[in-house]
């Protein structure tokens, strides 16, 4: 009996661990949880390992063992957790059947039947709420609270992020790259962004190029990296928007591929030059004879919220700069 129970515990624990990894991974994709480091030891997307989740499971399990001490004391919490899981599964099944267009009578028959059976189990488990089952509810509420806050914050951020059409600024970019009154910032300026939808791009990127110290370059790159469900995908899609100085790249990489963007861009720029879509970038000084690809500078625009004290300090700093500009030349 001890051997069988030990084997059952091992199987159950492995199911719990793998299920937790999968759920957290999907929640991250849905912007419901913060980003965690994910490892893929296998060849499929479902085989993954999240150290933070593994550590959290270890801490929670240790807490349950120390708090309940015996399996008899854990029965109430376990039964409530199981019945809630059953109810959530039935709820998701009902929603899935509705989305699939199944007849409403069949959906009602299946859902009501399952809800009646599981509801009776749930009502019986609530009787043991005071005897330790409340621990499960507290942990669930804590997880829901984190997911709600993270999802709400993501919606707020997306609400205030403005996108601009690159086509409306092609003339300015073309004029800037020929404006010799500005020093050459770099031959190729690459902006890495996750907020790019066709020709629409995050406003802060164009602001960085045109307003925030104009960045003169021969070619402007806008790169978006997307992770695919295949392990070793390495594909890209290029749109130069009817120019020879703007390159919009969608890079599709497998989940096991290292996101070494410079290495992939080296291949892309070589292909574009060989096809004549991108002009040669001659280098007068180079240790590589006949080099035809210029230098690159990668830029990641990050929006950081300021606390009230930082805003006040920023206002004071701006006032000091205004005084320096109007009364005396700045020394710093």
């Amino acid at each position: 009996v001890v051997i069988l129970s030990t084997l059952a515990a091992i199987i159950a624990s492995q199911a719990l661990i793998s299920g937790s990894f999968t759920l957290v991974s999907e929640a991250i994709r849905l912007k419901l949880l913060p980003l965690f480091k994910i490892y893929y030891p296998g060849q499929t997307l479902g085989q993954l390992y999240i150290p933070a989740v593994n550590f959290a499971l270890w801490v929670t399990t240790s807490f349950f063992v120390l708090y309940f001490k015996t399996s008899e004391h854990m029965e109430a919490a376990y039964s409530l957790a199981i019945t809630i899981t059953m109810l959530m599964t039935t709820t998701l099944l009902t929603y899935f059947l509705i989305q699939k267009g199944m007849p409403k009578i069949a959906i009602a028959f299946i859902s009501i039947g399952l809800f009646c059976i599981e509801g009776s189990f749930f009502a019986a488990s609530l009787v043991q709420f005071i005897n330790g089952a409340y621990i499960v509810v507290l942990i669930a509420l804590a997880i829901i609270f984190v997911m709600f806050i993270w999802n709400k914050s993501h919606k707020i951020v997306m609400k205030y992020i403005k996108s601009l059409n690159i086509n409306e600024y092609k003339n300015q970019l073309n004029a800037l790259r020929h404006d010799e009154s500005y020093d050459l910032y770099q031959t190729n300026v690459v902006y890495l962004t996750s907020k790019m939808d066709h020709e629409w791009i995050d406003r802060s990127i164009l602001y960085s190029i045109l307003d925030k110290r104009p960045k003169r370059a021969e070619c402007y790159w806008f790169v978006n990296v997307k992770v695919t469900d295949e392990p070793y995908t390495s594909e890209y899609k290029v749109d130069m928007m009817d120019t020879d100085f703007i390159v919009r790249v969608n890079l599709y990489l497998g989940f096991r591929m290292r996101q070494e963007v410079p290495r992939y861009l080296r291949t892309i720029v070589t292909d574009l030059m060989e096809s004549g879509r991108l002009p040669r970038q001659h280098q007068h000084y180079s240790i590589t004879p006949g080099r035809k690809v210029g230098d690159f500078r990668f830029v990641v625009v990050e929006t950081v919220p300021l606390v009230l004290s930082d805003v006040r300090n920023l206002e004071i700093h701006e006032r000091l700069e205004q005084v320096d500009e109007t009364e005396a030349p700045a020394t710093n």
Side-chain angles (χ1 to χ4, degrees):
V1 172
V2 173
I3 294 175
L4 289 177
S5 62
T6 302
L7 294 176
I10 293 174
I11 295 173
S13 64
Q14 293 302 311
L16 173 64
I17 292 172
S18 59
S20 300
F21 290 164
T22 303
L23 288 174
V24 170
S25 175
E26 294 300 323
I28 292 174
R29 289 192 174 193
L30 295 173
K31 311 298 182 183
L32 295 176
L33 284 177
L35 295 175
F36 295 113
K37 184 70 174 180
I38 301 178
Y39 296 94
Y40 297 93
Q43 300 297 323
T44 62
L45 187 62
Q47 297 177 351
L48 49 87
Y49 172 68
I50 308 177
V53 176
N54 192 64
F55 178 78
L57 289 174
W58 171 66
V59 172
T60 306
T61 303
S62 301
F63 167 77
F64 271 108
V65 171
L66 295 176
Y67 181 81
F68 290 106
K69 297 182 180 179
T70 62
S71 58
E72 288 80 6
H73 296 159
M74 198 183 297
E75 289 178 355
Y78 181 78
S79 61
L80 183 61
I82 292 297
T83 53
I84 291 177
T85 303
M86 294 168 65
L87 288 171
M88 291 301 99
T89 304
T90 302
T91 303
L92 293 174
L93 175 63
T94 303
Y95 180 78
F96 173 76
L97 295 178
I98 293 174
Q99 295 296 316
K100 287 296 183 180
M102 190 174 180
K104 295 183 179 180
I105 297 178
I107 296 176
F109 179 78
I110 296 174
S111 301
I112 293 174
L114 292 175
F115 275 122
C116 288
I117 298 173
E118 296 165 359
S120 61
F121 294 155
F122 178 71
S125 301
L126 285 178
V127 178
Q128 303 293 330
F129 184 82
I130 305 298
N131 297 330
Y134 63 90
I135 295 295
V136 175
V137 177
L138 292 178
I139 294 177
L141 290 176
I143 297 175
I144 292 174
F145 176 76
V146 173
M147 297 174 70
F148 173 79
I149 294 298
W150 194 261
N151 182 255
K152 188 69 175 179
S153 63
H154 175 72
K155 290 181 178 179
I156 293 174
V157 170
M158 296 306 296
K159 178 181 178 181
Y160 289 99
I161 288 180
K162 296 182 179 179
S163 297
L164 298 177
N165 194 320
I166 305 177
N167 290 312
E168 298 178 1
Y169 298 89
K170 288 194 296 186
N171 293 333
Q172 290 195 47
L173 293 174
N174 188 32
L176 176 59
R177 73 189 189 103
H178 290 103
D179 191 350
E180 297 183 356
S181 62
Y182 291 96
D183 294 335
L184 186 65
Y185 184 75
Q186 208 79 17
T187 306
N188 297 278
V189 177
V190 182
Y191 278 85
L192 304 176
T193 176
S194 60
K195 304 176 182 65
M196 185 172 67
D197 185 13
H198 299 287
E199 68 272 12
W200 293 88
I201 198 167
D202 188 0
R203 175 184 179 275
S204 60
I205 293 178
L206 291 174
Y207 175 83
S208 172
I209 298 175
L210 300 174
D211 295 75
K212 191 71 173 180
R213 181 189 170 191
K215 298 175 176 57
R216 177 172 166 249
E218 294 184 11
C219 186
Y220 297 94
W221 298 71
F222 306 102
V223 181
N224 174 245
V225 180
K226 295 182 179 180
V227 180
T228 67
D229 294 341
E230 298 296 327
Y232 296 107
T233 303
S234 178
E235 301 174 353
Y236 68 88
K237 183 179 179 181
V238 172
D239 181 11
M240 299 194 63
M241 310 186 70
D242 299 325
T243 69
D244 61 352
F245 59 92
I246 296 177
V247 186
R248 188 172 56 83
V249 180
N250 286 319
L251 192 57
Y252 302 94
L253 299 178
F255 61 87
R256 286 189 62 84
M257 298 291 290
R258 298 182 61 182
Q259 296 189 11
E260 299 175 343
V261 178
R263 182 165 63 90
Y264 296 109
L265 283 187
R266 195 178 304 117
T267 302
I268 294 173
V269 69
T270 302
D271 293 342
L272 291 177
M273 288 183 177
E274 290 179 353
S275 62
R277 301 175 63 186
L278 191 69
R280 306 285 181 177
Q281 300 172 351
H282 300 285
Q283 298 294 302
H284 297 288
Y285 306 100
S286 174
I287 60 174
T288 304
R291 179 177 178 179
K292 299 178 181 180
V293 179
D295 48 2
F296 283 78
R297 176 172 292 192
F298 292 81
V299 181
V300 178
V301 179
E302 182 180 4
T303 303
V304 180
L306 296 176
V307 297
L308 183 59
S309 59
D310 294 332
V311 174
R312 290 173 178 172
N313 293 334
L314 181 61
E315 291 176 352
I316 294 173
H317 180 68
E318 289 179 349
R319 290 173 186 171
L320 289 176
E321 285 187 346
Q322 291 176 2
V323 171
D324 290 336
E325 291 175 357
T326 55
E327 297 183 0
T331 57
N332 293 330

